[in-house]
């Protein structure tokens, strides 16, 4: 059974650019959540997707957007990058919407210069 | 505001000694409670969760956690620490029926040989 995978591993962008991060959920999981983990902090919830629709959002501006595809993989898009967007972005999948046990990927380290 | 607190940034313990990593929460209702561990350059790995029932929850790698409703605490424990337990530990809470996890800021555990 393949776990949650994320790509790329590392990414460097400049302020004002746009970025797309990708996540493949664990086999059989239909729910994907995205978290931002700034240096020295705990992860913060960005949003969750269930069966291709957004199902909850944290306190992040609209320039953070996402997609979920029919195979339950997901993308996180961030427009107009700011320096404070530099963080580890974690994707987590769950087998069921009501199951709060989430399985995390290794993350994508985004650096904004 | 909903929050999870981990009052200790750093915990040091000698190998073979018992360890405790503290967590308190301020989340509405009777939340689900979790502990995750993070190794360098890795995502979060699930250790254990409390849903209902016994206040002592047993998890992976010999870890357990004690739920105390009156103190709104969920402390992580292990009877005998190993050097390989050295890592960053996160406590998290999720309101029942919600779809996101609130994380603490993490506690770095160092087990000294």
């Amino acid at each position: 059974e393949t776990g949650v995978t994320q790509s790329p591993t590392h990414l460097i962008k400049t302020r004002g650019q746009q970025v797309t991060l990708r996540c493949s959920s664990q086999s059989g999981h239909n729910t994907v959540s995205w978290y931002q983990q700034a240096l020295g902090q705990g992860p913060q919830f960005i949003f969750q997707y269930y069966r291709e629709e957004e199902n909850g959002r944290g306190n992040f501006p609209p320039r953070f957007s996402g997609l979920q595809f029919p195979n339950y993989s997901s993308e996180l898009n961030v427009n107009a990058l700011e320096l404070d967007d530099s963080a580890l972005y974690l994707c987590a999948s769950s087998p069921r919407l009501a199951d709060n046990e989430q399985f995390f990927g290794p993350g994508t380290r985004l650096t904004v210069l | 505001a909903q929050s999870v607190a981990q009052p200790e940034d750093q915990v040091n313990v000698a190998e073979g000694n018992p360890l405790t990593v503290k967590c308190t929460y301020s989340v509405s209702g009777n939340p689900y409670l979790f502990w995750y561990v993070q190794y360098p350059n890795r995502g979060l790995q699930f250790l254990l969760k409390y849903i209902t029932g016994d206040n002592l929850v047993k998890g992976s790698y010999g870890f357990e956690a004690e739920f105390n409703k009156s103190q709104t605490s969920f402390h992580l424990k292990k009877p005998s620490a190993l050097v390989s337990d050295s890592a960053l530990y996160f406590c998290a809470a999720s309101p029942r029926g919600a779809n996101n996890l609130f994380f603490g800021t993490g506690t770095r555990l160092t087990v000294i040989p």
Side-chain angles (χ1 to χ4, degrees):
Chain A
E1 182 180 87
T2 306
V4 178
T5 60
Q6 292 185 242
S7 63
T9 306
H10 296 89
L11 201 53
I12 299 175
K13 292 286 188 178
T14 56
R15 195 170 50 181
Q17 284 189 310
Q18 178 266 343
V19 69
T20 297
L21 310 182
R22 295 179 175 83
C23 170
S24 291
S25 60
Q26 190 163 321
S27 177
H29 289 191
N30 59 19
T31 304
V32 172
S33 303
W34 286 91
Y35 292 82
Q36 181 195 66
Q37 185 179 11
L39 198 62
Q41 300 296 317
Q44 291 195 32
F45 175 70
I46 303 175
F47 44 54
Q48 182 182 77
Y49 278 83
Y50 170 66
R51 292 188 176 179
E52 303 178 57
E53 301 221 348
E54 187 177 291
N55 182 57
R57 188 179 183 92
N59 189 27
F60 280 82
R63 59 189 185 85
F64 285 78
S65 63
L67 283 174
Q68 188 179 32
F69 300 99
N71 66 354
Y72 302 133
S73 65
S74 178
E75 287 182 355
L76 164 65
N77 299 291
V78 187
N79 293 323
L81 283 167
E82 301 176 359
L83 297 179
D84 285 349
D85 296 333
S86 295
L88 181 68
Y89 288 84
L90 296 166
C91 169
S93 71
S94 306
R96 294 168 295 277
L97 181 61
D99 190 331
N100 282 308
E101 182 173 340
Q102 300 186 13
F103 297 81
F104 284 81
T108 293
R109 172 76 60 189
L110 172 65
T111 301
V112 182
L113 302 176
Chain B
Q2 319 237 48
S3 64
V4 174
Q6 293 180 243
E8 301 156 317
D9 291 335
Q10 174 83 39
V11 169
N12 297 325
V13 63
E15 186 177 22
N17 282 3
L19 69 87
T20 298
V21 182
K22 296 179 181 176
C23 171
T24 58
Y25 62 92
S26 176
V27 176
S28 58
N30 296 309
Y32 300 128
L33 300 167
F34 302 81
W35 277 100
Y36 286 85
V37 60
Q38 187 174 38
Y39 296 99
N41 301 314
R42 302 282 296 275
L44 300 173
Q45 293 181 30
F46 170 82
L47 280 180
L48 51 80
K49 67 179 176 182
Y50 174 81
I51 302 295
T52 187
D54 289 342
N55 290 342
L56 189 64
V57 179
K58 294 191 182 297
S60 306
Y61 314 117
F63 283 94
E64 55 192 26
E66 186 171 12
F67 170 66
N68 186 316
K69 186 173 182 178
S70 63
Q71 297 184 4
T72 61
S73 67
F74 189 56
H75 300 332
L76 182 69
K77 299 174 185 276
K78 187 173 183 181
S80 178
L82 301 173
V83 172
S84 57
D85 293 331
S86 298
L88 188 57
Y89 289 81
F90 287 98
C91 180
S94 179
R96 290 177 189 253
N99 48 21
N100 60 298
L101 292 167
F102 293 94
F103 282 88
T105 51
T107 298
R108 185 163 301 281
L109 172 68
T110 300
V111 181
I112 303 164

